[in-house]
Amino acid sequence: MSSDIQIASVDKRYPARGGDATREVLKSFNFQIRSGELVALVGPSGCGKSTLLNLIAGLDTPTRGAITFDQPFNSINLSVVFQQPRLLDWLSVQENIGIVLSRHDGDPQTKRATVQALLDQVELPQHAAAFPQFLSGGQRQRVSIARAFAVDPDVLLLDEPFSALDELTARRLRMVLQALWLDEKRQRPTGVLVTHNMLEAAFLADRIIVMGGSPAGIRVVIDVDVERPRHPDDARLFDIHRQVMEALQDS
Ligand SMILES: Nc1ncnc2c1ncn2[C@@H]1O[C@H](COP(=O)(O)OP(=O)(O)OP(=O)(O)O)[C@@H](O)[C@H]1O
Ligand SMILES: [Mg+2]
């Protein structure tokens, strides 16, 4: 079941390189992400966006404070999409997606149908048997998105998922992601998107958290009050883009 995420008084400190001192990256971070909501994290490079995502993913622990879900962490289905697709080169496209399905996801035939349905949704219906090295970067990222949705995630974390792609491909993939997000046949995960593309944040997110400062905190939270499905050229998104840029310049 899609879950709330509570980030309560979180500090994150890293040991400084070559000394005893520590470097504080996040300070008193308080935020609640509602179940089924997609929140975008934006802020200057190095401000701690990926750090926060890693803390939410349980890949690292806060120095102080806590990140909690409304279910025990080990019962949460969590998917992560990175900038690089991180596919297994020795497996076909369908095997790369199928590998994340467990024995609870049905017999081999049902699993194949699940994988094929996802390949249709990411617009790669003919590529089930292909190997990653024969796909373009955009096609590989489509597979990585299909793999992320295959587990019916409660929480979906996206760390600059489209930033390695050309703008036209990225735009197409944002629309694919939006369609998966709005697909009523699947549960809507709680999402956190890290991006440097403010129009992408406006297009995909319900709320945009502008981070800034050192150690970083929340500067401003901007609501994206635009109904879905959204069109990437909607003038209201450009307004939001401008607001985010202004907030970043002030931070
Ligand atoms: N494992 C680590 N050990 C020590 N310092 C770290 C570690 N991970 C991140 N940092 C430092 O924490 C700060 C925040 O890093 P982080 O990767 O979270 O930034 P970011 O906002 O994601 O940046 P970018 O937009 O460039 O991806 C940086 O100064 C980085 O050097
Ligand atoms: Mg990062």
Side-chain angles (χ1 to χ4, degrees):
M1 213 173 55
S2 175
S3 171
D4 280 0
I5 306 174
Q6 282 102 25
I7 302 164
S9 306
V10 163
D11 293 354
K12 181 63 187 175
R13 217 172 245 289
Y14 286 119
R17 290 167 189 109
D20 289 328
T22 57
R23 166 159 153 51
E24 191 155 49
V25 177
L26 299 174
K27 178 79 181 165
S28 302
F29 220 91
N30 273 304
F31 198 73
Q32 177 159 358
I33 305 172
R34 296 185 282 267
S35 176
E37 183 182 27
L38 204 167
V39 157
L41 298 178
V42 304
S45 180
C47 79
K49 303 178 297 294
S50 296
T51 297
L52 187 57
L53 216 64
N54 286 341
L55 295 174
I56 295 171
L59 296 171
D60 203 349
T61 47
T63 314
R64 190 180 71 96
I67 296 183
T68 51
F69 300 81
D70 52 16
Q71 310 155 49
F73 184 71
N74 59 11
S75 72
I76 296 228
N77 262 343
L78 189 138
S79 284
V80 190
V81 177
F82 299 98
Q83 189 174 354
Q84 301 302 331
R86 302 194 185 183
L87 304 179
L88 302 173
D89 286 342
W90 58 94
L91 296 181
S92 68
V93 163
Q94 61 193 344
E95 288 165 340
N96 263 285
I97 301 169
I99 198 168
V100 299
L101 297 174
S102 73
R103 63 194 168 81
H104 304 295
D105 294 310
D107 54 49
Q109 210 174 340
T110 313
K111 285 186 192 175
R112 259 199 304 280
T114 305
V115 170
Q116 191 55 51
L118 276 161
L119 283 174
D120 291 347
Q121 283 190 287
V122 298
E123 302 169 343
L124 279 182
Q126 312 295 339
H127 291 72
F131 282 83
Q133 66 264 40
F134 300 112
L135 301 180
S136 69
Q139 288 172 327
R140 283 187 215 143
Q141 197 61 322
R142 287 173 194 266
V143 177
S144 139
I145 290 169
R147 178 181 58 189
F149 275 89
V151 297
D152 197 20
D154 305 308
V155 173
L156 177 64
L157 306 177
L158 305 136
D159 196 347
E160 301 189 43
F162 310 125
S163 64
L165 306 173
D166 68 273
E167 183 48 29
L168 214 57
T169 306
R171 179 180 160 113
R172 191 64 226 152
L173 277 184
R174 288 178 204 121
M175 293 173 86
V176 164
L177 180 62
Q178 168 171 255
L180 280 162
W181 197 260
L182 295 179
D183 180 358
E184 283 177 357
K185 293 195 293 298
R186 56 183 74 251
Q187 73 160 340
R188 190 168 300 175
T190 307
V192 186
L193 164 75
V194 170
T195 182
H196 285 287
N197 183 321
M198 307 315 153
L199 262 180
E200 174 173 302
F203 176 66
L204 289 170
D206 295 291
R207 284 187 293 166
I208 302 172
I209 303 180
V210 180
M211 294 169 61
S214 183
I218 297 177
R219 285 288 191 242
V220 191
V221 179
I222 295 171
D223 286 313
V224 186
D225 204 5
V226 177
E227 69 286 354
R228 293 187 173 101
R230 295 176 182 164
H231 190 279
D233 297 327
D234 188 321
R236 291 171 293 176
L237 302 182
F238 289 85
D239 265 359
I240 303 276
H241 172 268
R242 190 180 35 74
Q243 282 177 47
V244 176
M245 291 308 288
E246 280 169 14
L248 278 168
Q249 275 151 20
D250 293 343
S251 69

